[in-house]
Structures are given as C-alpha cells and as structure tokens.
C-alpha cells in the first residue's frame, strides 16, 4: 500500500510539474523577479532613511546636551566668582553627568553613521544590480517574443499548429466527402447507362438504345444526302438539253425524283 501511494504521489507531482511548465511564461517570471528586486531595493532605501533619521535625532540630543553642559559650566564659574563654591561644585557635577551622556550619544552616533554608510553603499550596489537585471530582462523578453513569433509562423506554414491543424482537418474532410460524392455520382451514371438501374424519369437510355438511335440518325443523314445528289444530277441534265437545241421548249415534265422515306 505504501508503494502504491508513493507511486501515485510521484505521478501527481509529475503531472503537476508538466502542467505548471506548460502554463509558465518566462516573461511573467522575469517581471515578477524584477518586481521583487524593486521591493527589496525599496526596503533598503527605507532602512537607510530610518538610520539617517535616528542619526539626526541623536545629533539634536547631542546639541541639547552640549548646550546644557556649556550652561552648567558658565553657572559654576559665576557661582565660584560669587564665592558659592558649593553651587559651583554642584554645577560641575551635573555637567560631568551630562558629559557622560554626551559621550554615550557620540558613540551611538558613530555607530549609526557607520550603519548608514553601509546601507547607502548596499542600496547603490543593489540599484546597479536591479538596473542590470532590468536590461537583461527586457533583452530576454524581446528574444523570447521574437522566437515565439517565429515558431508560430513556422507552425502556420508547416500546418502543425493547433489552429492550422483544425483547418487542415476540415479541408481534408471536405475533400474526402467531395471525392466520395463524385465517386457515387459516377457509379450511378454507369449503372444507369448499363441498364442495371431503371431511370424513373424516362430520360436515361441504356447502351443498346443509344446505339440504335445513333444508327437510325446516321441512316437519315445518308438518305437525305442521296436525295440531294439526285436532285442536283437531274437539274444538270435538263440544263444541258436546253443549251444544245437553242430553242425554247415548253416546260418538260419533271422527272420523278426518287425519294427515300425516312425510316
């Protein structure tokens, strides 16, 4: 049972992989990858902006602490001038505490400034990488589109594409049906001509009847031709007699012209 399930899982994964491969468009994949790189670049830029903002905030705090330290120093000097050593000592103590905070903030400021420089350099490198990928992406997309168009044109000329295949099959079916009808019509004509089939309209004739009609028609023509020759021969004899005597004679009795009745 375990072997059967494993085999079914393999078949399912193979078919799913084939379906995904058929549905995948490299141009869409490239566009998606480019979009993800742009999102990453945007995140890096936001990180640089956040670090710069933190650095700027520390600079403002440092300025405030340095101003307070300078003020406490002035106050201690004035208190000492007035003979208030206790106040001068307190002012200097507070100034020392502020100075420690200034030192800590300066350390953080240097750290943030270093991180900002690193992120800025990384953003620049990533920007260059994204620009190069965009150029390569567009080149690959143009090449793929041209290859796809060339393939479709080749398939159209060769007739192996799906659309042209359907058209070719339709033409083949039409030619087959036409040839079948022509063969059927020719067979029916041959059967009618041989008398194997009866023509209900009475217009068709078999071979024997056609031959008899042809002989009959030929006899009529021969008889008509003989009659015309006889008439011409009779007319020529009468003209010869009249020319020899030189006298006007009454119209002679017309000779009986042999006539042949049409059969």
């Amino acid at each position: 049972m375990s072997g059967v399930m494993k085999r079914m899982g393999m078949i399912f994964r193979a078919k799913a992989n084939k379906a995904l491969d058929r549905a995948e468009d490299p141009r869409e994949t490239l566009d998606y990858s480019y979009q993800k790189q742009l999102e990453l670049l945007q995140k890096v830029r936001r990180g640089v902006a956040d670090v710069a903002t933190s650095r700027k905030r520390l600079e403002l705090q440092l300025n405030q602490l340095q101003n307070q330290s300078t003020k406490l120093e002035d106050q201690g000097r004035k208190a000492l001038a007035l003979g208030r050593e206790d106040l001068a000592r307190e002012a200097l103590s507070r100034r020392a505490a502020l100075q420690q905070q200034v030192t800590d903030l300066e350390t953080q400021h240097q750290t943030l400034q270093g991180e900002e420089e690193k992120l800025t350099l990384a953003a620049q490198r990533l920007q260059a990488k994204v620009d190069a990928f965009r150029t390569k992406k567009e080149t690959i997309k143009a090449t793929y589109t041209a290859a796809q168009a060339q393939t479709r044109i080749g398939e159209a000329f060769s007739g192996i594409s799906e659309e042209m295949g359907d058209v070719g099959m339709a033409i083949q079916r039409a030619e087959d049906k036409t040839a079948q009808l022509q063969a059927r019509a020719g067979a029916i004509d041959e059967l009618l001509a041989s008398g194997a089939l009866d023509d209900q309209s009475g217009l068709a004739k078999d071979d024997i009847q056609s031959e008899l009609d042809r002989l009959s028609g030929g006899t009529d023509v021969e008889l008509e031709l003989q009659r015309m020759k006889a008439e011409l021969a009779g007319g020529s004899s009468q003209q010869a007699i009249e020319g020899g005597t030189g006298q006007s004679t009454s119209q002679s009795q017309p000779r009986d012209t042999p006539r042949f009745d049409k059969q």
Side-chain angles (χ1 to χ4, degrees), residues 46-57 59 112 116:
R46 283 199 298 265
V48 173
D50 293 340
V51 172
T53 302
S54 299
R55 176 183 57 79
K56 194 64 178 178
R57 189 180 297 113
E59 290 177 355
L112 287 176
E116 182 181 357

